[in-house]
Short mmCIF file of all heavy atoms in Angstrom, two decimals:
data_model
loop_
_atom_site.label_atom_id
_atom_site.label_comp_id
_atom_site.label_asym_id
_atom_site.label_seq_id
_atom_site.Cartn_x
_atom_site.Cartn_y
_atom_site.Cartn_z
N LEU A 1 -55.66 -17.86 115.20
CA LEU A 1 -54.74 -16.93 115.77
C LEU A 1 -54.98 -15.49 115.15
O LEU A 1 -54.95 -14.50 115.93
CB LEU A 1 -53.30 -17.34 115.48
CG LEU A 1 -52.18 -16.37 115.82
CD1 LEU A 1 -52.13 -16.16 117.33
CD2 LEU A 1 -50.85 -16.91 115.34
N ALA A 2 -55.24 -15.48 113.91
CA ALA A 2 -55.43 -14.16 113.27
C ALA A 2 -56.28 -14.30 111.99
O ALA A 2 -56.12 -15.30 111.27
CB ALA A 2 -54.11 -13.53 112.94
N MET A 3 -57.15 -13.35 111.76
CA MET A 3 -58.00 -13.32 110.58
C MET A 3 -57.62 -12.14 109.73
O MET A 3 -56.78 -11.27 110.19
CB MET A 3 -59.47 -13.28 110.93
CG MET A 3 -59.94 -14.31 111.93
SD MET A 3 -59.85 -16.01 111.30
CE MET A 3 -61.20 -15.93 110.15
N LYS A 4 -58.14 -11.97 108.56
CA LYS A 4 -57.85 -10.89 107.68
C LYS A 4 -58.03 -9.56 108.41
O LYS A 4 -59.08 -9.34 109.07
CB LYS A 4 -58.75 -10.90 106.47
CG LYS A 4 -58.49 -9.75 105.44
CD LYS A 4 -59.43 -9.83 104.25
CE LYS A 4 -59.18 -8.66 103.36
NZ LYS A 4 -60.05 -8.71 102.18
N GLY A 5 -57.01 -8.72 108.36
CA GLY A 5 -57.07 -7.42 108.99
C GLY A 5 -56.46 -7.38 110.43
O GLY A 5 -56.29 -6.31 110.97
N ASP A 6 -56.15 -8.56 110.97
CA ASP A 6 -55.55 -8.63 112.28
C ASP A 6 -54.06 -8.32 112.28
O ASP A 6 -53.36 -8.62 111.31
CB ASP A 6 -55.79 -10.02 112.94
CG ASP A 6 -57.23 -10.22 113.39
OD1 ASP A 6 -57.98 -9.22 113.39
OD2 ASP A 6 -57.62 -11.35 113.63
N ALA A 7 -53.56 -7.90 113.40
CA ALA A 7 -52.14 -7.65 113.63
C ALA A 7 -51.78 -8.32 114.91
O ALA A 7 -52.39 -8.08 115.94
CB ALA A 7 -51.80 -6.17 113.71
N ILE A 8 -50.77 -9.21 114.85
CA ILE A 8 -50.39 -10.06 115.98
C ILE A 8 -48.94 -9.82 116.38
O ILE A 8 -48.06 -9.80 115.51
CB ILE A 8 -50.64 -11.55 115.69
CG1 ILE A 8 -52.12 -11.85 115.46
CG2 ILE A 8 -50.13 -12.40 116.84
CD1 ILE A 8 -53.02 -11.58 116.62
N PHE A 9 -48.70 -9.63 117.70
CA PHE A 9 -47.33 -9.54 118.22
C PHE A 9 -46.89 -10.89 118.81
O PHE A 9 -47.65 -11.50 119.52
CB PHE A 9 -47.18 -8.42 119.24
CG PHE A 9 -45.89 -8.39 119.98
CD1 PHE A 9 -44.74 -7.89 119.35
CD2 PHE A 9 -45.79 -8.94 121.24
CE1 PHE A 9 -43.58 -7.91 119.97
CE2 PHE A 9 -44.55 -8.95 121.90
CZ PHE A 9 -43.43 -8.46 121.26
N GLY A 10 -45.67 -11.33 118.53
CA GLY A 10 -45.14 -12.52 119.09
C GLY A 10 -43.78 -12.24 119.77
O GLY A 10 -42.94 -11.48 119.25
N GLY A 11 -43.52 -12.83 120.90
CA GLY A 11 -42.29 -12.66 121.60
C GLY A 11 -41.29 -13.76 121.13
O GLY A 11 -41.57 -14.54 120.23
N PRO A 12 -40.08 -13.77 121.73
CA PRO A 12 -39.11 -14.81 121.39
C PRO A 12 -39.71 -16.22 121.58
O PRO A 12 -40.54 -16.43 122.53
CB PRO A 12 -37.95 -14.55 122.38
CG PRO A 12 -38.10 -13.13 122.75
CD PRO A 12 -39.59 -12.83 122.74
N GLN A 13 -39.31 -17.16 120.73
CA GLN A 13 -39.86 -18.50 120.80
C GLN A 13 -38.72 -19.47 121.19
O GLN A 13 -37.72 -19.51 120.51
CB GLN A 13 -40.44 -18.95 119.45
CG GLN A 13 -41.56 -17.95 118.97
CD GLN A 13 -42.77 -18.02 119.88
OE1 GLN A 13 -43.29 -19.11 120.12
NE2 GLN A 13 -43.19 -16.86 120.38
N THR A 14 -38.94 -20.28 122.24
CA THR A 14 -37.93 -21.18 122.70
C THR A 14 -38.00 -22.59 122.04
O THR A 14 -37.18 -23.37 122.31
CB THR A 14 -38.00 -21.35 124.21
OG1 THR A 14 -39.29 -21.89 124.56
CG2 THR A 14 -37.85 -20.03 124.92
N ARG A 15 -39.02 -22.76 121.21
CA ARG A 15 -39.17 -24.05 120.56
C ARG A 15 -39.68 -23.82 119.17
O ARG A 15 -40.33 -22.78 118.89
CB ARG A 15 -40.08 -24.99 121.34
CG ARG A 15 -41.47 -24.33 121.64
CD ARG A 15 -42.26 -25.22 122.58
NE ARG A 15 -43.60 -24.62 122.81
CZ ARG A 15 -43.82 -23.84 123.85
NH1 ARG A 15 -42.81 -23.42 124.62
NH2 ARG A 15 -45.05 -23.33 124.04
N PRO A 16 -39.52 -24.79 118.22
CA PRO A 16 -40.12 -24.60 116.91
C PRO A 16 -41.65 -24.52 117.02
O PRO A 16 -42.26 -25.14 117.92
CB PRO A 16 -39.66 -25.84 116.13
CG PRO A 16 -39.24 -26.82 117.22
CD PRO A 16 -38.81 -26.06 118.34
N ARG A 17 -42.27 -23.80 116.10
CA ARG A 17 -43.73 -23.65 116.15
C ARG A 17 -44.30 -23.87 114.80
O ARG A 17 -43.59 -23.75 113.80
CB ARG A 17 -44.16 -22.28 116.75
CG ARG A 17 -43.63 -21.13 115.95
CD ARG A 17 -43.92 -19.81 116.65
NE ARG A 17 -43.35 -18.67 115.98
CZ ARG A 17 -43.99 -17.91 115.02
NH1 ARG A 17 -45.19 -18.24 114.69
NH2 ARG A 17 -43.34 -16.90 114.49
N VAL A 18 -45.59 -24.19 114.78
CA VAL A 18 -46.29 -24.46 113.50
C VAL A 18 -47.60 -23.74 113.50
O VAL A 18 -48.34 -23.78 114.50
CB VAL A 18 -46.54 -26.00 113.34
CG1 VAL A 18 -47.24 -26.27 112.02
CG2 VAL A 18 -45.28 -26.81 113.46
N THR A 19 -47.90 -23.03 112.40
CA THR A 19 -49.23 -22.52 112.18
C THR A 19 -49.74 -23.14 110.90
O THR A 19 -49.02 -23.82 110.16
CB THR A 19 -49.23 -20.96 112.07
OG1 THR A 19 -48.53 -20.54 110.88
CG2 THR A 19 -48.58 -20.35 113.31
N SER A 20 -51.00 -22.88 110.63
CA SER A 20 -51.57 -23.42 109.38
C SER A 20 -52.55 -22.39 108.79
O SER A 20 -52.90 -21.40 109.51
CB SER A 20 -52.32 -24.77 109.59
OG SER A 20 -53.47 -24.54 110.40
N ASN A 21 -53.01 -22.66 107.56
CA ASN A 21 -53.96 -21.76 106.92
C ASN A 21 -55.07 -22.66 106.37
O ASN A 21 -54.82 -23.72 105.85
CB ASN A 21 -53.33 -20.98 105.76
CG ASN A 21 -51.99 -20.38 106.17
OD1 ASN A 21 -50.93 -20.73 105.68
ND2 ASN A 21 -52.03 -19.46 107.15
N SER A 22 -56.34 -22.20 106.56
CA SER A 22 -57.49 -23.05 106.12
C SER A 22 -57.61 -23.00 104.62
O SER A 22 -58.24 -23.93 104.02
CB SER A 22 -58.76 -22.56 106.74
OG SER A 22 -59.09 -21.22 106.35
N GLY A 23 -57.06 -21.96 103.93
CA GLY A 23 -57.14 -21.90 102.50
C GLY A 23 -56.02 -20.94 102.00
O GLY A 23 -54.96 -20.86 102.61
N GLN A 24 -56.32 -20.24 100.94
CA GLN A 24 -55.30 -19.29 100.46
C GLN A 24 -55.10 -18.17 101.42
O GLN A 24 -55.97 -17.78 102.16
CB GLN A 24 -55.76 -18.70 99.09
CG GLN A 24 -55.84 -19.70 97.97
CD GLN A 24 -56.15 -19.10 96.63
OE1 GLN A 24 -56.69 -18.02 96.49
NE2 GLN A 24 -55.81 -19.81 95.58
N VAL A 25 -53.87 -17.70 101.47
CA VAL A 25 -53.49 -16.73 102.50
C VAL A 25 -52.45 -15.75 102.02
O VAL A 25 -51.67 -16.08 101.06
CB VAL A 25 -52.93 -17.50 103.76
CG1 VAL A 25 -51.55 -18.06 103.50
CG2 VAL A 25 -52.85 -16.58 105.01
N GLN A 26 -52.46 -14.62 102.56
CA GLN A 26 -51.39 -13.64 102.35
C GLN A 26 -51.14 -12.97 103.66
O GLN A 26 -52.05 -12.47 104.33
CB GLN A 26 -51.75 -12.58 101.29
CG GLN A 26 -50.61 -11.63 101.00
CD GLN A 26 -50.99 -10.58 99.96
OE1 GLN A 26 -52.17 -10.43 99.57
NE2 GLN A 26 -49.99 -9.84 99.45
N PHE A 27 -49.85 -12.95 104.13
CA PHE A 27 -49.49 -12.24 105.32
C PHE A 27 -48.10 -11.64 105.15
O PHE A 27 -47.34 -11.99 104.29
CB PHE A 27 -49.57 -13.12 106.54
CG PHE A 27 -48.79 -14.40 106.50
CD1 PHE A 27 -47.42 -14.49 106.82
CD2 PHE A 27 -49.44 -15.60 106.18
CE1 PHE A 27 -46.78 -15.65 106.81
CE2 PHE A 27 -48.76 -16.75 106.14
CZ PHE A 27 -47.41 -16.83 106.45
N PHE A 28 -47.88 -10.65 105.99
CA PHE A 28 -46.62 -9.87 105.91
C PHE A 28 -46.18 -9.69 107.37
O PHE A 28 -46.99 -9.36 108.28
CB PHE A 28 -46.86 -8.51 105.32
CG PHE A 28 -45.59 -7.78 104.92
CD1 PHE A 28 -45.03 -7.91 103.70
CD2 PHE A 28 -45.03 -6.87 105.85
CE1 PHE A 28 -43.86 -7.21 103.35
CE2 PHE A 28 -43.90 -6.17 105.53
CZ PHE A 28 -43.31 -6.32 104.30
N PHE A 29 -44.92 -10.04 107.67
CA PHE A 29 -44.50 -9.81 109.08
C PHE A 29 -43.06 -9.26 109.13
O PHE A 29 -42.28 -9.31 108.18
CB PHE A 29 -44.67 -11.06 109.90
CG PHE A 29 -43.88 -12.32 109.50
CD1 PHE A 29 -42.61 -12.51 110.13
CD2 PHE A 29 -44.38 -13.21 108.65
CE1 PHE A 29 -41.95 -13.67 109.83
CE2 PHE A 29 -43.67 -14.39 108.39
CZ PHE A 29 -42.46 -14.63 108.98
N ILE A 30 -42.83 -8.64 110.25
CA ILE A 30 -41.55 -7.99 110.53
C ILE A 30 -40.92 -8.71 111.74
O ILE A 30 -41.60 -9.07 112.68
CB ILE A 30 -41.78 -6.50 110.82
CG1 ILE A 30 -40.47 -5.81 111.09
CG2 ILE A 30 -42.78 -6.27 111.91
CD1 ILE A 30 -40.62 -4.27 111.25
N LEU A 31 -39.62 -8.89 111.66
CA LEU A 31 -38.86 -9.46 112.77
C LEU A 31 -37.98 -8.44 113.35
O LEU A 31 -37.17 -7.77 112.68
CB LEU A 31 -38.00 -10.67 112.25
CG LEU A 31 -38.77 -11.82 111.63
CD1 LEU A 31 -37.84 -12.80 110.97
CD2 LEU A 31 -39.60 -12.55 112.71
N LEU A 32 -38.14 -8.19 114.67
CA LEU A 32 -37.42 -7.16 115.38
C LEU A 32 -36.49 -7.75 116.49
O LEU A 32 -36.91 -8.78 117.09
CB LEU A 32 -38.38 -6.20 116.03
CG LEU A 32 -39.36 -5.45 115.11
CD1 LEU A 32 -40.74 -6.04 115.32
CD2 LEU A 32 -39.36 -4.02 115.41
N TYR A 33 -35.35 -7.18 116.69
CA TYR A 33 -34.53 -7.56 117.79
C TYR A 33 -35.28 -7.24 119.10
O TYR A 33 -35.89 -6.23 119.24
CB TYR A 33 -33.21 -6.78 117.73
CG TYR A 33 -32.34 -7.21 116.53
CD1 TYR A 33 -32.13 -6.33 115.49
CD2 TYR A 33 -31.79 -8.46 116.48
CE1 TYR A 33 -31.36 -6.67 114.41
CE2 TYR A 33 -30.96 -8.84 115.43
CZ TYR A 33 -30.77 -7.93 114.37
OH TYR A 33 -30.03 -8.27 113.26
N PRO A 34 -35.22 -8.20 120.05
CA PRO A 34 -35.98 -8.01 121.30
C PRO A 34 -35.60 -6.80 122.12
O PRO A 34 -36.40 -6.15 122.70
CB PRO A 34 -35.75 -9.34 122.01
CG PRO A 34 -34.54 -9.88 121.43
CD PRO A 34 -34.48 -9.47 120.03
N ASP A 35 -34.26 -6.49 122.10
CA ASP A 35 -33.89 -5.32 122.86
C ASP A 35 -34.35 -4.02 122.21
O ASP A 35 -34.59 -3.02 122.88
CB ASP A 35 -32.35 -5.28 123.10
CG ASP A 35 -31.54 -5.23 121.79
OD1 ASP A 35 -31.95 -5.87 120.83
OD2 ASP A 35 -30.49 -4.57 121.77
N ALA A 36 -34.60 -4.08 120.93
CA ALA A 36 -35.16 -2.92 120.20
C ALA A 36 -36.66 -2.74 120.66
O ALA A 36 -37.06 -1.61 120.91
CB ALA A 36 -35.14 -3.11 118.69
#
């Protein structure tokens, strides 16, 4: 889905979701109200 240096946008999610990491990872994300 994303590698080092990537930026990914996600919309509202209607079901639970799962991601994984192949090894050590660091990520930072922001959650925004959809009408914003």
Side-chain angles (χ1 to χ4, degrees):
L1 173 63
M3 308 294 289
K4 180 180 178 180
D6 287 346
I8 298 295
F9 171 76
Q13 302 295 305
T14 62
R15 55 186 179 272
R17 59 186 175 92
V18 182
T19 66
S20 69
N21 314 114
S22 63
Q24 293 187 339
V25 70
Q26 183 180 11
F27 53 85
F28 192 90
F29 64 93
I30 180 174
L31 297 171
L32 302 107
Y33 292 110
D35 60 323

